Amino acid sequence: QVELVESGGGLVQAGGSLRLSCVVSGITLRSGIFEWYRQAPGKEREFVARIRRGFIPTYADSVQGRFTISCDHAKNTVYLQMNNLKPEDTAVYYCKREATWGQGTQVTVSS
């Protein structure tokens, strides 16, 4: 059974940085595509970043150049490094693998 557990969210001032973690159990990171999504209150969930073994990571245009998705196979963890955060980045961030979602971690960026 695949399980994704996010952590690393918190409150940060605009311009600051956070690193989110997604610990994966029940499957290796070589299996399929891993993604980050986010959802602000009252808004539709949106794509943020995607990583797949053997492929170049992809990003939403809104985070390109600021966010970096990566993985640590030994720790079976997917990361989202978020730099130069903006208030518009405030949302619950979710890790996703195929049809499996994590519970999310809150990121709040103050102006």
Side-chain angles (χ1 to χ4, degrees):
Q1 186 72 271
V2 178
E3 185 178 20
L4 310 174
V5 181
E6 304 96 331
S7 63
L11 176 63
V12 65
Q13 193 172 1
S17 299
L18 286 173
R19 188 181 73 165
L20 307 184
S21 299
C22 174
V23 178
V24 179
S25 60
I27 197 171
T28 71
L29 300 187
R30 294 181 175 85
S31 303
I33 300 168
F34 291 85
E35 300 170 291
W36 286 96
Y37 281 71
R38 67 187 182 186
Q39 187 168 25
K43 302 292 185 180
E44 187 173 322
R45 194 168 297 185
E46 65 176 352
F47 166 80
V48 175
R50 177 182 299 114
I51 191 168
R52 182 181 181 183
R53 184 172 64 93
F55 292 79
I56 299 173
T58 58
Y59 302 91
D61 191 50
S62 59
V63 307
Q64 181 73 240
R66 299 189 297 120
F67 291 12
T68 303
I69 188 171
S70 63
C71 62
D72 186 326
H73 290 275
K75 297 180 179 179
N76 227 43
T77 301
V78 180
Y79 300 98
L80 184 68
Q81 178 67 46
M82 306 185 295
N83 298 327
N84 192 24
L85 283 161
K86 304 176 180 180
E88 306 90 85
D89 296 318
T90 295
V92 177
Y93 283 71
Y94 298 90
C95 186
K96 177 180 181 290
R97 188 266 176 187
E98 302 295 341
T100 303
W101 295 82
Q103 292 297 310
T105 184
Q106 176 71 50
V107 172
T108 303
V109 184
S110 62
S111 59

